[in-house]
Amino acid sequence: MKLLFVADPLESFKIYKDTTFAMMREAQKRGHSISTCEPTDILWQRGAPVTASVRHITLTGQSPDWFTEAPQAADALPLALKDFDAIVMRKDPPFDSEFFYATHLLEQAEREGARVFNKPRALRDHPEKLAILEWPQFIGPTLVTRDAQAIRRFHAEHKDIILKPLDGMGGMGIFRVKEDGLNLGAIIETLNKDGAETVMVQAFLPAIAQGDKRVLVIGGQPVPYSLARIPQGGEVRGNLAAGGKGVAQPLTERDREIAQAIGPVLAARGLLLIGLDVIGDHLTEINVTSPTCFQEIFDQTGFDVPAMFVDALEAACATA
């Protein structure tokens, strides 16, 4: 197959842990060709299909020069996205206006015959913080609001809370406020911008000490191991980007229950790969843009997550 990965600049990849790299490596091992572009490379003009200026690469397996790039003529034309067998959307968050616009261009490419994973409309319909609202039976006490007084009432009820912006990633902008309410007013002002922006507030879950588990679901089926991201030092955040320690472990019965309830539903909506964040027995987020942790789980358990993903991608392309 001819695969196009829409991603961040290749030069920014940390290949020892990058999930998109792991996908590419497995795909190349099976004989698929690898091309890449960034969202900025995608364009549409009336009378023509959606196209992109792409890089055709071969992985070398060596670092730091982990890929070679096929030379292209200076006058080489952009390629139509519909001419690839599959497009894998792997642009990292934040889900900002430019990400939103990219999903619309990719959806136009779909109308022209392109096959995009994860599906652009599904990316828009499932913002990573708010997607949990569809499954209240799995989440802890949660409030979504701009209202400062509503946040204060939630704190008075639950005593120990977590506040976070809806567009954050990697633990960015997360605050904990304990029973004493220290700095609650300043934190609310910082996050809700004097009522201009919506905030998510959740009761603090002490089980974070055992890790914020990433449960991967591919083609509706859970990977049998999660990666528990355990906060280090005085941190409340377990995110790897915030210094958390990743420890792979078998899914618990509760992890599997959550994954088996949500996974098939979202797979049917076009989300080939999702990452559920679970603390203790509670779902806290549903990651759909570019879920990670493939390599950490493989390195620690030997379970070949990239192979499971490419299996699912091949099967989806065969039936699309």
Side-chain angles (χ1 to χ4, degrees), residues 2 12 38 63 81 84-85 90 92 169 179 183 313:
K2 292 167 56 181
S12 70
E38 299 172 39
S63 182
L81 270 58
F84 288 90
D85 295 298
R90 289 289 301 174
D92 281 345
M169 60 169 288
E179 186 171 1
N183 287 329
L313 181 65

Side-chain angles (χ1 to χ4, degrees), residues 140-143 150-162 176-180 201-206:
T142 299
L143 169 71
I151 297 174
R152 291 184 182 279
R153 289 193 296 270
F154 188 88
H155 175 259
E157 178 182 358
H158 296 286
K159 312 300 183 184
D160 195 352
I161 63 173
I162 294 290
R176 178 183 180 185
V177 178
K178 298 183 180 180
E179 186 171 1
D180 59 13
V201 192
Q202 294 174 308
F204 176 74
L205 300 173

Side-chain angles (χ1 to χ4, degrees), residues 75-312:
D75 59 350
L77 294 175
L79 300 181
L81 270 58
K82 65 183 178 64
D83 291 338
F84 288 90
D85 295 298
I87 298 165
V88 183
M89 178 53 161
R90 289 289 301 174
K91 174 69 179 72
D92 281 345
F95 195 110
D96 55 14
S97 295
E98 288 303 321
F99 195 113
F100 177 78
Y101 302 147
T103 67
H104 279 286
L105 289 171
L106 290 172
E107 190 170 21
Q108 174 59 27
E110 282 188 320
R111 286 190 283 268
E112 297 162 1
R115 290 170 288 194
V116 185
F117 307 93
N118 283 328
K119 194 173 180 64
R121 180 178 293 273
L123 290 174
R124 293 198 303 274
D125 287 349
H126 298 86
E128 300 189 326
K129 301 291 192 298
L130 296 178
I132 64 171
L133 274 58
E134 188 173 350
W135 286 278
Q137 70 270 33
F138 296 131
I139 68 177
T142 299
L143 169 71
V144 180
T145 185
R146 296 187 190 184
D147 189 307
Q149 291 308 311
I151 297 174
R152 291 184 182 279
R153 289 193 296 270
F154 188 88
H155 175 259
E157 178 182 358
H158 296 286
K159 312 300 183 184
D160 195 352
I161 63 173
I162 294 290
L163 302 93
K164 53 189 176 183
L166 295 182
D167 61 353
M169 60 169 288
M172 180 184 67
I174 291 179
F175 294 89
R176 178 183 180 185
V177 178
K178 298 183 180 180
E179 186 171 1
D180 59 13
L182 187 64
N183 287 329
L184 178 58
I187 291 168
I188 293 173
E189 292 168 8
T190 297
L191 291 180
N192 84 341
K193 305 289 195 297
D194 292 323
E197 295 188 9
T198 304
V199 179
M200 174 169 279
V201 192
Q202 294 174 308
F204 176 74
L205 300 173
I208 185 62
Q210 285 75 54
D212 180 355
K213 294 176 286 187
R214 167 59 53 82
V215 178
L216 294 167
V217 184
I218 299 173
Q221 298 301 314
V223 171
Y225 297 91
S226 70
L227 190 76
R229 298 158 297 171
I230 302 172
Q232 300 297 295
E235 266 291 352
V236 70
R237 301 170 298 174
N239 309 75
L240 299 183
K245 178 183 178 182
V247 178
Q249 53 191 231
L251 297 188
T252 66
E253 289 187 14
R254 178 64 166 178
D255 296 338
R256 196 171 293 277
E257 177 190 2
I258 294 171
Q260 290 177 337
I262 296 173
V265 174
L266 295 189
R269 296 176 187 171
L271 293 169
L272 185 70
L273 168 64
I274 62 173
L276 307 176
D277 287 351
V278 179
I279 298 176
D281 289 336
H282 294 95
L283 175 71
T284 61
E285 291 185 19
I286 301 176
N287 294 268
V288 302
T289 50
S290 58
T292 60
C293 301
F294 278 31
Q295 295 211 68
E296 292 89 345
I297 291 173
F298 175 73
D299 290 343
Q300 294 183 38
T301 70
F303 183 84
D304 199 335
V305 189
M308 181 177 174
F309 174 78
V310 178
D311 283 346

Side-chain angles (χ1 to χ4, degrees), residues 20-21 40 46 137 233 242 320:
T20 306
F21 168 77
T40 54
R46 191 182 70 171
Q137 70 270 33

